[in-house]
Amino acid sequence: MRTVEWEKGTVRLIDQTKLPWELTVVGYRDHERLAEAISKMVVRGAPAIGATAAYGMALAGLTSEAETMDALRSDLADAAERLTLARPTAVNLVWGVERQLQLARDEQWTTADEIRAALIREAHAIADEDVATNKRIGAHGAKLISDGNTVLHHCNTGALATVDYGTALGVIRAAHEQGKQVHVLVDETRPRLQGALLTAWELERLGIPFELIVDSAAGHFMSTGQVDLVLVGADRIAGNGDVANKIGTYSLAVMAKENGVPFYSVAPRSTVDLSLPSGDQIPVEERPGEEVTSLFGKSIAPEGATARNPAFDVTPHRYLTGIVTEKGVVYLPFDLGLRRVMEGEEA
Amino acid sequence: MRTVEWEKGTVRLIDQTKLPWELTVVGYRDHERLAEAISKMVVRGAPAIGATAAYGMALAGLTSEAETMDALRSDLADAAERLTLARPTAVNLVWGVERQLQLARDEQWTTADEIRAALIREAHAIADEDVATNKRIGAHGAKLISDGNTVLHHCNTGALATVDYGTALGVIRAAHEQGKQVHVLVDETRPRLQGALLTAWELERLGIPFELIVDSAAGHFMSTGQVDLVLVGADRIAGNGDVANKIGTYSLAVMAKENGVPFYSVAPRSTVDLSLPSGDQIPVEERPGEEVTSLFGKSIAPEGATARNPAFDVTPHRYLTGIVTEKGVVYLPFDLGLRRVMEGEEA
């Protein structure tokens, strides 16, 4: 199944807080509970939450009791606000919601029910596009991987972080499907261990060889010549190419540059936010300190200890080798390249 | 109590695998079991294992049934080999053992029992020296901390990593005792969480304010101007100033340099190994992958997942601002400065 699916008025999510031990699917029948699920990271990964939010808008349409188009549009605006607040950093969330709002505003509709039906169709379209987009990203990115390469990967950017197939992990998957030998060094990705729990699970199922490492060991493997390429995802890419991504990405990028290891951010164009001139304007989500001080309900610090827990960091574009999109790989100067692919041209 | 103590033929260690939940003391009556305790990290931290090994040699003397000095020296040589193999990276272990072997070889002794007694006295001297050394290190290092500074710290370098007082954490403690306001950002230090479990526990008891962070967040805090100084320990310092220390140190040093944040390694001279021209020759211990794939006996990765687990990394000296020793702070050129302090001069 896909990470996010629609079945008769229910949004179904693979519960990513239960993996790799249980493959559980949870159903949501209103956008309010779905927004909570996004906040609690039942679903995570920028493209996946973009599609989930689009389905959330479809749910909001269905559950609204509005009889007129204006009343429905007003309910949708409220739902949009609630969904957008679920997580602040990934722009895909805003993108999915905005696309639905714009659709609802279209002048072609004559009844509220027409809008309701259109929102469901559009959510499906967004989900299908995401899968197709990721496969194109994979095809472009796989060219960067040579037979026998070791790729360092951070967080989870696989099928679980998207509707299906994945972004950075999709690139690795595409290279593997082309018959290339690829070995993956998987950053465990504290605090929530998406690498150890989700990426390792996906790689095992795909039959791609990997080894886990603690996040702080990545630099050691780069400086000792054991990494050919670093591939990470993105939660928001500013107009100048600065990338917000899972905490730890910035350090990887600095270390990669220092050691002459190519470093690519891999993301669909829905992650690009040209409205922001640089990464300084990207809001970085600070999550509860308990994600650091406890693990699976067990405390891993003395009682009373507090923690800082920024969920993301911003990597200045000067550390990037390139940005892999469904329109090809964007290289320096990133501002021009990003503008070009956002206008629909090939990179 | 001290981290390592001697009581009537028993070496007593604070069991660091039980902290912060239980303050347990374990007694060892032979060097074989003590070596196992070092391997299993019941005691850890380069200076602490140096003193523990010296006490281990005293134990080996006591438990040996040798009646002649030659027979005893032969037993001591075997014990030295066993203790040295317990952990490969920290040179203090070798240093503590070698100092005892040399003492045993001294021509002043006329009976095996004289040597046995001398080994116990020498172990006490080494332990006492360690505490005095750390206090001198603290006094030198505290000058680097200004009132109101935030210091980033990795692993544990406190009283628990030494006989008492600590090295890098001893510097923070000294600044705190001088009345300076110091805030500590504590790297949790995966995989064994010495920061979250041990350093947090020590800072709480000392009343020094701190916040925990995941290791991969350190770069973010540096790049956003929230760190004034980075202080770490050392497990072995080569003749050119390259530093082997807990995995993750290298990344911190690169990030500190990139962001103009002063970065100091803090260690007694027993950590300096002038026999090695550079860090390339330092053996890096690779520990079991289970330290990464499970935590407190619970698996945190899919069944069958394997991990790489280098316990240390090597930081090339070009990333260091200075090395704080009991003879003062050594700056560039490190080779000359280290030679000077090893000859007993002030830095």
Side-chain angles (χ1 to χ4, degrees), chain A residues 3 14-23 41-45 48 87 153-162 169 186-189 192-206 210 212 246 296, chain B residues 300-302 305:
Chain A
T3 298
I14 293 178
D15 185 346
Q16 302 191 32
T17 66
K18 299 281 199 306
L19 286 171
W21 299 286
E22 287 174 43
L23 181 53
M41 298 174 67
V42 171
V43 63
R44 25 67 48 206
R87 297 200 66 194
H153 179 272
H154 194 60
C155 198
N156 174 268
T157 64
L160 291 166
T162 58
L169 214 56
V186 177
D187 271 4
E188 63 173 2
T189 318
R192 294 188 63 114
L193 296 170
Q194 292 95 333
L197 302 177
L198 307 179
T199 299
W201 183 74
E202 288 198 41
L203 288 171
E204 239 175 43
R205 288 164 64 109
L206 292 168
F210 70 93
L212 275 169
K246 178 57 54 202
F296 306 123
Chain B
I300 57 169

Side-chain angles (χ1 to χ4, degrees), chain A residues 102-342:
Chain A
Q102 217 159 11
L103 181 87
R105 271 187 229 114
D106 198 292
E107 294 190 353
Q108 66 176 299
W109 316 122
T110 54
T111 67
D113 279 347
E114 273 181 28
I115 296 178
R116 289 185 171 96
L119 290 168
I120 297 171
R121 283 197 309 273
E122 187 73 359
H124 286 316
I126 287 172
D128 290 343
E129 275 169 34
D130 182 66
V131 182
T133 293
N134 293 339
K135 288 186 174 165
R136 278 198 296 277
I137 290 174
H140 286 297
K143 295 172 195 156
L144 304 170
I145 299 180
S146 302
D147 192 43
N149 273 181
T150 293
V151 180
L152 184 84
H153 179 272
H154 194 60
C155 198
N156 174 268
T157 64
L160 291 166
T162 58
V163 176
D164 203 354
Y165 203 79
T167 55
L169 214 56
V171 167
I172 292 167
R173 181 173 177 172
H176 172 75
E177 287 167 357
Q178 291 170 3
K180 290 176 187 164
Q181 294 290 328
V182 192
H183 185 83
V184 187
L185 280 178
V186 177
D187 271 4
E188 63 173 2
T189 318
R190 282 281 291 151
R192 294 188 63 114
L193 296 170
Q194 292 95 333
L197 302 177
L198 307 179
T199 299
W201 183 74
E202 288 198 41
L203 288 171
E204 239 175 43
R205 288 164 64 109
L206 292 168
I208 300 172
F210 70 93
E211 288 167 309
L212 275 169
I213 60 171
V214 297
D215 304 317
S216 78
H220 169 74
F221 285 99
M222 286 193 244
S223 73
T224 51
Q226 301 183 69
V227 178
D228 297 299
L229 190 69
V230 181
L231 295 178
V232 300
D235 288 80
R236 193 181 308 211
I237 300 174
N240 67 346
D242 291 355
V243 171
N245 191 49
K246 178 57 54 202
I247 190 76
T249 302
Y250 162 69
S251 305
L252 293 179
V254 171
M255 229 91 60
K257 181 146 207 184
E258 192 75 10
N259 289 288
V261 177
F263 180 98
Y264 290 89
S265 172
V266 183
R269 289 177 302 159
S270 55
T271 307
V272 178
D273 183 358
L274 291 184
S275 78
L276 302 185
S278 85
D280 296 343
Q281 291 92 40
I282 300 176
V284 169
E285 177 181 10
E286 182 108 16
R287 295 187 58 86
E290 289 72 39
E291 288 188 350
V292 176
T293 56
S294 70
L295 195 61
F296 306 123
K298 177 169 167 61
S299 175
I300 57 168
E303 214 181 323
T306 57
R308 295 286 302 277
N309 185 20
F312 304 93
D313 57 27
V314 175
T315 301
H317 64 274
R318 67 177 178 277
Y319 297 109
L320 299 179
T321 308
I323 300 170
V324 185
T325 74
E326 67 272 36
K327 289 290 184 182
V329 185
V330 175
Y331 292 98
L332 278 169
F334 291 116
D335 51 353
L336 293 181
L338 287 174
R339 202 144 296 138
R340 201 161 54 235
V341 299
M342 292 307 277

Side-chain angles (χ1 to χ4, degrees), chain B residues 172-215:
Chain B
I172 292 168
R173 180 173 178 171
H176 172 75
E177 287 167 357
Q178 291 170 2
K180 291 175 186 165
Q181 293 290 328
V182 192
H183 185 82
V184 187
L185 280 177
V186 177
D187 271 4
E188 63 173 2
T189 318
R190 282 282 290 151
R192 293 188 63 114
L193 296 169
Q194 291 94 333
L197 302 177
L198 306 180
T199 299
W201 182 74
E202 288 198 41
L203 288 171
E204 239 176 43
R205 288 163 63 110
L206 292 167
I208 300 173
F210 69 93
E211 288 167 308
L212 275 169
I213 60 171
V214 297
D215 304 317

